[in-house]
Amino acid sequence: MSRKLLIIGPCVNKLNPNKTGGVIILFENLKKVLSNDNIDYKVVDTNKNNYPNKLIAYLSILFNLTKNASRTSHISMHGT
């Protein structure tokens, strides 16, 4: 089994990076720490503003969770 980490949480708003709250800032900091420590991880972005609409967001998140969950050794979810 691969030793990857799957992290689930809201990434920075791609269209308006200034529209950022506390959880997004903390999640982005976590990604930086993981990268700096050379930890292999995959991200499932739960920020609905990064998708064309809520239905596509829901389907994309479910698809990515299903696809990546079996390929990781740990899953970490971050949200409000």
Side-chain angles (χ1 to χ4, degrees), residues 5-17:
L5 171 66
L6 178 63
I7 58 173
I8 305 162
C11 295
V12 168
N13 187 321
K14 294 174 186 172
L15 296 176
N16 185 2

Side-chain angles (χ1 to χ4, degrees), residues 2-58:
S2 132
R3 299 297 298 174
K4 283 185 184 173
L5 171 66
L6 178 63
I7 58 173
I8 305 162
C11 295
V12 168
N13 187 321
K14 294 174 186 172
L15 296 176
N16 185 2
N18 295 326
K19 190 177 179 185
T20 302
V23 174
I24 294 172
I25 292 169
L26 293 172
F27 192 66
E28 291 296 326
N29 286 342
L30 172 65
K31 289 172 25 183
K32 286 179 190 173
V33 168
L34 293 173
S35 292
N36 290 342
D37 290 344
N38 295 318
I39 296 174
D40 192 14
Y41 69 94
K42 288 285 233 180
V43 176
V44 175
D45 183 11
T46 59
N47 187 344
K48 68 182 182 307
N49 295 316
N50 289 332
Y51 298 94
N53 61 53
K54 288 181 183 180
L55 177 62
I56 291 175
Y58 178 76

Side-chain angles (χ1 to χ4, degrees), residues 64-78:
N64 284 310
L65 281 173
T66 310
K67 179 177 116 180
N68 293 306
S70 63
R71 300 177 184 167
T72 60
S73 58
H74 294 85
I75 299 173
S76 179
M77 185 170 182
H78 304 267

